[in-house]
Amino acid sequence: MESNIRAQFRNFGQYGIFLAFAIICLLLAFSTPRFFTISNLLTIGNQVSINALLAFGVTFVIITGGIDLSLGSMVAVTGVIAATFAHPDTYPVVVPIFVGLLAGLAIGAFNGLVITKSKVPPFIVTLGTMTIGRGLALILSKGRPISNLSDSFNFIGGGNLFGIPFPIVILTLAFIICSVILNKTILGRYMYAVGGNEPAARASGIRVNSVKMWVYTICGLLSAMGGILLTSRITTGQPNAGAGFELDAIAAAIIGGTSTSGGTGTMTGTLIGALLIGVISNSLDLLNVTSYYQQVVMGAIIIGAVVLDSMGKER
């Protein structure tokens, strides 16, 4: 009897987020007729694309038992760097994309290097990087927005491909690639092993520091993709962009079932978590609820997700 209860609770922990997402969507469909329209669903997908990209990256990090608080600053600095090279009649569009992604890789690798070599907690290291990144964005932009970007660059965040917003196409590709990395590669299995029991993983021959370097570098790359998307969407490189984005991304990962103590998590859960945040935010907008209440609702959801995660471990 007790084993059955445990099994049912585990199943709820695994699939509860999908059930909650479905119930919320049904409730919203009845309460706001505009919710289930194609245009509104595409708007939600477009809106959650940046947060989902950041959430995919931080999911890798949290699964290994770490955390990354520098996501928002990476969005700002990589967006500013990309915008610097994205003026009309200067460079091909691949140049600002490449330079922006390279900057994200470098910052992510810096996080991983300091964390693995100094043994300083990731919370402290990425908190410092968050401040450094914000300062770099202000220095490179001289504290002013960088505008006058080329049409080809602006297409990344504002264009459509066969009627589908291009950010949704990028989000879909990133989801597939991240899921393959996590579920079908040795690196993905090592991430779970490191987060589940780091001493045991080290004793079994896994190069723990190398795995951590990879996850922080991948997280930096995905943050840069988010920065390029945001810069393209608002057609401006904003040094103050991305403030608070790290909290939304971490929230999406936790709501989606990624354990804060490491060793557990899926990209599908994180995607549903990001969509859930987007759906709730969209519905509150449709219901004319102010953003102040949205913050309260989001905080309550995060606390509820962490409490459920803790209850699952106790059982």
Side-chain angles (χ1 to χ4, degrees):
M1 180 67 180
E2 186 179 353
S3 60
N4 289 335
I5 294 175
R6 288 179 178 175
Q8 289 175 6
F9 193 91
R10 282 197 297 271
N11 288 334
F12 178 79
Q14 291 176 348
Y15 304 111
I17 181 66
F18 301 98
L19 181 63
F21 182 67
I23 291 173
I24 289 174
C25 286
L26 287 175
L27 290 175
L28 292 173
F30 284 112
S31 60
T32 56
R34 287 183 295 162
F35 176 75
F36 255 132
T37 60
I38 296 296
S39 61
N40 188 52
L41 294 178
L42 290 176
T43 299
I44 293 173
N46 201 14
Q47 288 176 340
V48 305
S49 57
I50 295 174
N51 185 35
L53 288 174
L54 302 183
F56 292 157
V58 83
T59 296
F60 286 125
V61 173
I62 296 176
I63 285 176
T64 61
I67 195 72
D68 192 339
L69 300 178
S70 63
L71 303 178
S73 293
M74 281 196 274
V75 166
V77 71
T78 56
V80 165
I81 291 174
T84 304
F85 293 88
H87 296 303
D89 303 324
T90 53
Y91 301 99
V93 68
V94 295
V95 173
I97 295 173
F98 176 77
V99 174
L101 294 178
L102 189 63
L105 278 172
I107 298 173
F110 174 79
N111 278 336
L113 185 67
V114 176
I115 289 168
T116 55
K117 297 301 181 185
S118 69
K119 306 302 179 186
V120 174
F123 174 83
I124 303 297
V125 173
T126 56
L127 187 64
T129 310
M130 178 176 72
T131 306
I132 293 172
R134 188 65 63 187
L136 283 175
L138 290 167
I139 292 170
L140 294 172
S141 66
K142 299 179 181 177
R144 293 173 296 186
I146 299 176
S147 57
N148 188 29
L149 309 184
S150 67
D151 291 340
S152 55
F153 184 82
N154 291 336
F155 176 84
I156 301 170
N160 292 290
L161 190 65
F162 304 116
I164 300 174
F166 200 62
I168 296 179
V169 177
I170 294 176
L171 169 63
T172 304
L173 292 175
F175 170 71
I176 294 171
I177 294 171
C178 290
S179 296
V180 169
I181 291 174
L182 195 57
N183 300 321
K184 302 294 183 183
T185 66
I186 294 175
L187 178 62
R189 289 197 290 273
Y190 284 178
M191 290 178 194
Y192 285 115
V194 170
N197 191 327
E198 184 172 327
R202 198 182 299 277
S204 64
I206 295 175
R207 298 169 64 187
V208 173
N209 287 350
S210 177
V211 173
K212 289 185 177 180
M213 278 292 297
W214 271 108
V215 297
Y216 282 98
T217 304
I218 294 172
C219 187
L221 178 67
L222 289 166
S223 298
M225 291 174 65
I228 293 170
L229 265 185
L230 180 63
T231 302
S232 173
R233 178 183 297 173
I234 62 178
T235 66
T236 307
Q238 288 280 359
N240 293 319
F245 279 21
E246 60 277 351
L247 299 181
D248 288 341
I250 293 170
I254 294 174
I255 291 171
T258 304
S259 174
T260 52
S261 54
T264 305
T266 65
M267 288 300 160
T268 303
T270 296
L271 178 62
I272 296 297
L275 287 171
L276 186 61
I277 291 175
V279 164
I280 291 173
S281 177
N282 175 265
S283 62
L284 292 177
D285 286 338
L286 293 177
L287 294 170
N288 295 321
V289 177
T290 66
S291 59
Y292 307 135
Y293 290 98
Q294 294 184 25
Q295 297 294 327
V296 174
V297 172
M298 211 57 65
I301 291 174
I302 294 170
I303 292 173
V306 175
V307 169
L308 282 175
D309 178 52
S310 300
M311 292 172 64
K313 289 188 178 66
E314 290 176 359
R315 285 167 173 74

